[in-house]
Amino acid sequence: MSEPKAIVAAFLDSFSSGDVEAILEYLTEDATWWVLGNLDGMSGTIDKATLGSLLRQVKPLYLDGALTITPSSMISEGRQVSAEATSHARLCDGRVYANAYHFRFDLDGDRICSVREYSDTQHMLEIFGRQSGVGVLDNLSR
């Protein structure tokens, strides 16, 4: 079994590549991704399939085809990893998406079974929400 921090670091590298299928390979079949807050379409829990749909919908919006996530620190205890990170992507329409995060990853073996994301959901809403004209989150199931 691999070191949990190494798995999370590899996952974030893969996430930064924009290769959706490679990203999803790091997740268990029943994995969940939760985002703090109560903004409709931005917060709450989604499953692996919905995450895949979301990533496929937003990928064409990124000038380089990916949102890079760069961890600045990681702490691991058992099969849990907490990471502070920043993201960056230049969008095709000229805007920039740059967010700050705290993630908690739970691992099952060598795969991630749960992600808890704490980030600036207001910035997320401004860039990807309904009023932005992008509307990528409008049709995702929750």
Side-chain angles (χ1 to χ4, degrees), residues 27-72:
L27 305 177
T28 61
E29 291 310 310
D30 62 346
T32 58
W33 192 294
W34 172 88
V35 178
L36 176 69
N38 56 10
L39 293 173
D40 189 36
M42 299 285 160
S43 305
T45 302
I46 59 174
D47 61 15
K48 180 179 178 175
T50 305
L51 176 65
S53 294
L54 170 64
L55 294 175
R56 287 180 196 93
Q57 287 181 29
V58 296
K59 182 176 176 164
L61 303 176
Y62 301 133
L63 190 60
D64 296 324
L67 171 68
T68 54
I69 298 181
T70 306
S72 57

Side-chain angles (χ1 to χ4, degrees), residues 11-137:
F11 170 74
L12 293 174
D13 281 344
S14 182
F15 197 101
S16 297
S17 76
D19 182 342
V20 175
E21 299 315 312
I23 294 166
L24 296 177
E25 281 298 313
Y26 281 90
L27 305 177
T28 61
E29 291 310 310
D30 62 346
T32 58
W33 192 294
W34 172 88
V35 178
L36 176 69
N38 56 10
L39 293 173
D40 189 36
M42 299 285 160
S43 305
T45 302
I46 59 174
D47 61 15
K48 180 179 178 175
T50 305
L51 176 65
S53 294
L54 170 64
L55 294 175
R56 287 180 196 93
Q57 287 181 29
V58 296
K59 182 176 176 164
L61 303 176
Y62 301 133
L63 190 60
D64 296 324
L67 171 68
T68 54
I69 298 181
T70 306
S72 57
S73 68
M74 284 192 225
I75 299 170
S76 177
E77 183 174 325
R79 304 304 295 164
Q80 298 174 342
V81 177
S82 290
E84 290 183 325
T86 56
S87 68
H88 186 271
R90 186 166 304 283
L91 280 66
C92 294
D93 66 7
R95 294 178 300 149
V96 173
Y97 179 68
N99 211 330
Y101 305 87
H102 184 275
F103 293 107
R104 177 178 155 182
F105 298 91
D106 291 310
L107 284 79
D108 182 4
D110 286 346
R111 295 172 76 198
I112 297 165
C113 60
S114 172
V115 180
R116 294 180 63 82
E117 174 186 331
Y118 302 84
S119 59
D120 181 352
T121 53
Q122 181 62 39
H123 179 56
M124 195 183 313
L125 183 65
E126 290 167 358
I127 297 295
F128 300 113
R130 289 169 186 85
Q131 77 267 27
S132 73
V134 176
V136 296
L137 298 179

